[in-house]
Amino acid sequence: MSDSEDEAPERQLKIIIMGDGASGKTSLATRYSQEQFGKQYKQTVGLDFFLKRIILPGNIHVSLQVWDIGGQTLGGKMLDKYVYGSHGILLVYDITNHSSFENVDDWYSSVKKVFDNQTKLPHIALVGNKCDLEHMRTVKTEKHQKYATDHSMSSHFVSAKTGDSVSHIFQCPHCYMKRQTAMTGHACSVSSLRGVSV
Ligand SMILES: Nc1nc2c(ncn2[C@@H]2O[C@H](COP(=O)(O)OP(=O)(O)OP(=O)(O)O)[C@@H](O)[C@H]2O)c(=O)[nH]1
Ligand SMILES: [Mg+2]
């Protein structure tokens, strides 16, 4: 059998979603992986997995593993293990629930603890969810922006309900750039990293 097969090997990326209970983490993962949204709240116990395969230009096959971490795991023993080895982290809060924004800092501290000995954290995105409920917003956009800037995070406003901007947070070019750099030693340009869902 020849080694020169057309099919490129699949690379794996681990993206984790963290944040308070009911902020919409599972809804975001479901929206992205299945293009669905459910109104009913079902608490995630421990964690849940979602998988999506995407192909990047240059025939780079990526298997995106999404680890959806239940909001009740903050302060628990397992959290460090979930966070370990991630390439991208989505820190999610609900724009209509101020305490979910305040608690972002605790989630972020738990991430920093895991990557304490490494020079670089994975790419971290601050995600304000439920933007369809703009009229009920309690977290000012300025506060969000300042927190993201102060902590070198990318900043996003999304809605799992409408799907607005959801695919972007999962196919965040920064994650691929970091991963690509680690894999090949060369950073890719952002424009060459538009993912194609399959
Ligand atoms: N209006 C609106 N509701 C949302 C949105 N995202 C999630 N919800 C609702 O918020 C509730 C909680 O959503 P989940 O996705 O289960 O929250 P979670 O962050 O996974 O919660 P835990 O599993 O407990 O950590 C559900 O009733 C969802 O329907 C959104 O973008 N807009
Ligand atoms: Mg959940």
Side-chain angles (χ1 to χ4, degrees):
M1 205 196 285
S2 159
D3 277 340
S4 59
E5 285 163 2
D6 286 335
E7 200 155 316
E10 194 171 67
R11 282 138 192 202
Q12 300 207 333
L13 268 187
K14 174 179 171 181
I15 307 287
I16 64 173
I17 321 180
M18 310 171 86
D20 271 11
S23 57
K25 301 176 296 296
T26 303
S27 302
L28 289 167
T30 307
R31 164 62 71 192
Y32 178 60
S33 58
Q34 296 155 25
E35 293 180 20
Q36 284 174 4
F37 175 77
K39 276 190 182 158
Q40 213 176 340
Y41 173 41
K42 188 165 168 273
Q43 186 185 75
T44 305
V45 179
L47 91 156
D48 212 344
F49 293 101
F50 294 80
L51 189 73
K52 180 123 170 164
R53 293 199 163 86
I54 58 174
I55 302 174
L56 302 176
N59 203 27
I60 300 169
H61 291 237
V62 176
S63 164
L64 214 61
Q65 292 177 4
V66 178
W67 295 42
D68 167 25
I69 299 178
Q72 304 307 314
T73 55
L74 185 62
K77 274 194 242 159
M78 295 304 289
L79 190 56
D80 291 5
K81 295 177 178 57
Y82 298 161
V83 172
Y84 182 79
S86 53
H87 302 108
I89 295 177
L90 308 180
L91 284 181
V92 179
Y93 73 91
D94 171 354
I95 64 156
T96 72
N97 177 344
H98 201 273
S99 73
S100 72
F101 176 71
E102 286 161 18
N103 292 337
V104 161
D105 211 42
D106 291 336
W107 289 100
Y108 181 52
S109 297
S110 67
V111 170
K112 281 192 296 187
K113 211 173 69 182
V114 173
F115 291 92
D116 206 21
N117 295 326
Q118 295 186 19
T119 44
K120 279 197 169 174
L121 288 167
H123 177 74
I124 302 180
L126 180 64
V127 180
N129 185 37
K130 307 197 186 181
C131 281
D132 55 291
L133 302 176
E134 184 61 40
H135 56 290
M136 291 167 66
R137 175 188 280 278
T138 57
V139 181
K140 290 202 169 108
T141 54
E142 297 77 24
K143 262 192 169 178
H144 167 118
Q145 298 292 8
K146 182 170 178 356
Y147 190 87
T149 307
D150 288 352
H151 298 90
S152 305
M153 298 174 185
S154 61
S155 153
H156 310 265
F157 292 106
V158 300
S159 166
K161 185 175 180 183
T162 64
D164 192 23
S165 301
V166 171
S167 61
H168 182 73
I169 56 171
F170 288 97
Q171 298 182 183
C172 177
H174 303 283
C175 295
Y176 297 113
M177 285 171 79
K178 278 198 177 174
R179 179 68 178 151
Q180 201 71 12
T181 306
M183 288 189 298
T184 66
H186 302 289
C188 289
S189 71
V190 173
S191 60
S192 71
L193 291 167
R194 296 268 175 263
V196 180
S197 298
V198 289

